[in-house]
Each structure stands twice: as C-alpha cells, then as structure tokens.
Amino acid sequence: MKRAADSIVIGSGIAGISCARALAQAGGTVIVLDKGRGIGGRMATRRVTLEIGEISFDHGAQVLPAQNAAFATLMRDTGAAAWDQDGGLVGVPGMSQLPRRLAEGLDLRQGIEITALAYRDRRWMLSSPGEAFQAQRLVLTIPAPQALQLLGPTHPLAGALTEVEMRPCLTLMAAFPPGSPRPFSQRSDPDHPLAWIAQDSSKLGRRTAAVTWVAQAGPKFSAQYLENSPEDIAAQMLPLLCDVIGTQPQTALHLRAHRWRYAQTIRPLGAPYLSDRATNLYLGGDWCLGARAEHAFQSGAAIAAAITGPAHAR
Ligand SMILES: Cc1cc2nc3c(=O)[nH]c(=O)nc-3n(C[C@H](O)[C@H](O)[C@H](O)COP(=O)(O)OP(=O)(O)OC[C@H]3O[C@@H](n4cnc5c(N)ncnc54)[C@H](O)[C@@H]3O)c2cc1C
C-alpha cells in the first residue's frame, strides 16, 4: 500500500474531506488518515442491532443550519434532507452519510493515529504505531488542542493554537420500545443540564425499530463529569432525559454515553486556517471560524484554495 503522497491530510472530518476533495480534483496525490473507525469525525452516526431490529443515533452533529447557501446546496446534493419546518438539514439515513458520500473516490485510511511528526529534507515524516507515511505537504484538520499536542509547544503556530478554546460535550444515546412517548422532535434549553434533546427517530429515513433519543449535556454538566466512565455518565443522564420526555428509565432498551472531549469551539481563531509556508504545513477545522460543520467545510476548502491557487504557484 502506498505510504507517500504530495499531500497528507490528517482527519477525515468534514474539514479534511472538503480539503482532500479539492486537492485531488486539482490533480495532486492525496492520502487522508484518521484514527477513528468511521469516516466523518464529529459528523457521526452509531448503528446498533437490538433484538427488535437495527437502530441508529446521530451522536455528534445534530442538524445543519442552512445559513451558508453554498454549503446547504452541497449538502442537499449529497443527500441531506430537511428535518422540520425550520429548514435545518440532516443526513439520510444518518449524519455520517454526508461525509461518507463526499469522501467517495478519495484514498482514505481509517484506524491510523498519527503520534509524531517531523519535517526533514523538505518532507513531512508521519509516524503511527507500526506504520510511517511521507508527504511534501501536510494538512492537519484535527481539533486545535490536538494539533498543539502533535506539533509541540515550541512550534511557530503554537501561540495561535493556544488562543483557540474548545469545550467538551457528554452525549447520551437511549432507545425505548415502539409506542413510547414522543413529546417533541427537538428541544433546546440552555438552563437544563441536558441542554439539547433530539428524538433521533423523528429524522427522515431513520431505522425506527425503537424510539431513539440523543441528549447532549450543557457545558457545566459536561465539564463536571467528563472524566467519569461512560457507564456512570449514562446512568446520570438517563433519569434527566426520562423526566423531560415522560418515560420510565427501566424501559430503556439500549443506553450508551459518548464523551466528546473537543466538541464545540467557544473561542475561534478568526481566520479560515493557519499555515507555515516554509514547511508546507496547513492547519484547519471548525475551530478556525466557529462551532459548526459548515465552518469546518469552509476551512478545509480555504486551505485547498490556498494550496492550489495562483499565489501558491508563484
Ligand atoms: C455533540 C456535538 C453536537 C454538534 N452539533 C452540531 C450541529 O447540530 N450542527 C453543526 O453544524 N455542527 C454541530 N457540531 C459540530 C460539528 O460536528 C463540527 O463542527 C464538525 O463536524 C467538525 O469537523 P472537523 O473536520 O473540523 O473536525 P472533526 O470532525 O473533529 O474531525 C477531526 C478528525 O481528526 C481525527 N484525528 C484527531 N487526531 C488525530 C490523529 N492524531 N491521527 C489521526 N486522526 C486524528 C479524528 O478522529 C476526527 O475524525 C456538533 C459537534 C458535537 C461534538
């Protein structure tokens, strides 16, 4: 298997995919590496098989506000559909379907965690347990704190990365038997410990063997319980969810918590990307411009434009 390319992109989230697509379209060789099992990073869908059938949860990004017209059009062209009358878009049959479809045709390798980087003889050397990769150009589209960890505190871009702030989010996925209460499809309440609750099974094209809910804890709850075990977090969040939706905790068919350590940007960089042209290094992700998937997409596209544009060719 090839382990060298013109460009290596670390991160198969929507930022990495938007960048890699544009670089590949411009004609360069590109490899995308990601430590996760599934494509899409925080645009994530988890599938579970229960006795009564298959169910799924969007446990990362919930709904894509269609504010950015170009992004909304691309998402619709990729198969996204409106969830409700507010016009927010969701992937069908799950949110991860959108990055998966956008990544079609790319050389993408999941399950590879890059643990060390070095720039030698005008090439980037990337190490992961048991494998090494090389490229002339490196694009990191991973959360800013993780980029800082990889590059180290003395790197010229470390100061800018330190300015970016991201916070965690604890997410509960819970399934209840068909016929269980469905009082609403989505609810946002910043004053409640569960700041966001969505009836995932109300989204278009979901596998609806059960009534499924996704609840996201607010910032205070998430920070307080981040280091607890997923089992403990699920046990804490379930009664809070059941209280809101009017269901008995003991009727839950499936329960799982996910800890997103770098979920949401609270202080963005304020520019679409960072770069160190001397070493052909580019850094991007949602954290550059905001907290949403469209910001990640814009950042990845801006990096590709900077690499392939006329200014770079000179
Ligand atoms: C709970 C939650 C709810 C959200 N709700 C919404 C919403 O409703 N609407 C919305 O628009 N946005 C929402 N977002 C935000 C949205 O998901 C993100 O803005 C967007 O998906 C970020 O994309 P990205 O490509 O920048 O980063 P990511 O999706 O985080 O991708 C980064 C990738 O890098 C990989 N990686 C990291 N380090 C390494 C390494 N060392 N080696 C290899 N791979 C590595 C990770 O595995 C990951 O796949 C939500 C996020 C969360 C967590």
Side-chain angles (χ1 to χ4, degrees):
M1 195 189 283
K2 220 172 53 150
R3 291 194 175 79
D6 297 335
S7 303
I8 287 186
V9 177
I10 304 181
S12 71
I14 194 76
I17 289 170
S18 87
C19 181
R21 267 166 58 100
L23 291 180
Q25 276 161 12
T29 54
V30 188
I31 297 174
V32 183
L33 304 173
D34 195 292
K35 66 181 178 180
R37 264 185 308 171
I39 298 170
R42 279 171 278 158
M43 288 182 77
T45 304
R46 179 162 293 161
R47 289 173 187 80
V48 182
T49 305
L50 302 180
E51 258 177 36
I52 61 166
E54 195 172 316
I55 56 170
S56 67
F57 302 90
D58 290 340
H59 60 300
Q62 298 293 294
V63 57
L64 308 175
Q67 280 153 7
N68 178 313
F71 180 69
T73 301
L74 178 70
M75 290 298 109
R76 278 195 203 91
D77 291 348
T78 310
W83 182 7
D84 53 24
Q85 64 276 22
D86 293 341
L89 299 172
V90 295
V92 180
M95 201 55 105
S96 68
Q97 185 66 10
L98 299 171
R100 285 161 66 95
R101 283 196 62 187
L102 286 173
E104 278 168 12
L106 292 176
D107 182 349
L108 205 141
R109 314 204 191 153
Q110 296 295 136
I112 295 180
E113 177 170 11
I114 299 304
T115 49
L117 303 172
Y119 188 70
R120 278 197 299 271
D121 302 328
R122 300 169 71 83
R123 290 188 80 74
W124 280 99
M125 314 287 171
L126 285 64
S127 312
S128 75
E131 268 184 292
F133 297 85
Q134 285 189 30
Q136 288 159 15
R137 184 181 300 115
L138 179 61
V139 181
L140 291 181
T141 55
I142 64 181
Q146 292 176 320
L148 180 61
Q149 219 174 338
L150 260 186
L151 293 171
T154 58
H155 190 275
L157 299 178
L161 287 171
T162 312
E163 291 299 309
V164 174
E165 245 184 278
M166 297 182 80
R167 69 182 171 200
C169 176
L170 300 179
T171 298
L172 177 70
M173 293 161 265
F176 298 91
S180 300
R182 302 163 176 248
F184 52 84
S185 60
Q186 54 180 277
R187 178 188 116 131
S188 171
D189 180 356
D191 297 325
H192 193 275
L194 304 186
W196 166 266
I197 300 175
Q199 186 199 136
D200 204 81
S201 46
S202 74
K203 292 179 178 175
L204 203 73
R206 268 27 185 195
R207 296 173 174 91
T208 52
V211 180
T212 56
W213 294 90
V214 171
Q216 292 170 356
K220 202 167 152 218
F221 186 103
S222 294
Q224 189 175 350
Y225 295 106
L226 181 63
E227 304 307 337
N228 289 30
S229 70
E231 293 73 23
D232 182 55
I233 293 164
Q236 305 248 18
M237 291 176 76
L238 179 65
L240 295 169
L241 171 68
C242 288
D243 189 44
V244 175
I245 62 174
T247 304
Q248 294 302 314
Q250 60 273 20
T251 63
L253 300 172
H254 175 81
L255 200 59
R256 184 93 182 249
H258 186 88
R259 296 178 294 187
W260 295 103
R261 193 167 290 275
Y262 304 112
Q264 193 188 21
T265 309
I266 48 173
R267 191 167 60 203
L269 177 71
Y273 62 90
L274 284 172
S275 67
D276 180 28
R277 299 278 169 110
T279 60
N280 249 329
L281 171 69
Y282 296 81
L283 275 62
D286 59 347
W287 52 269
C288 291
L289 294 169
R292 293 196 303 271
E294 66 191 62
H295 298 128
F297 188 86
Q298 284 166 7
S299 171
I303 292 175
I307 290 170
T308 59
H312 195 266
R314 272 201 298 273

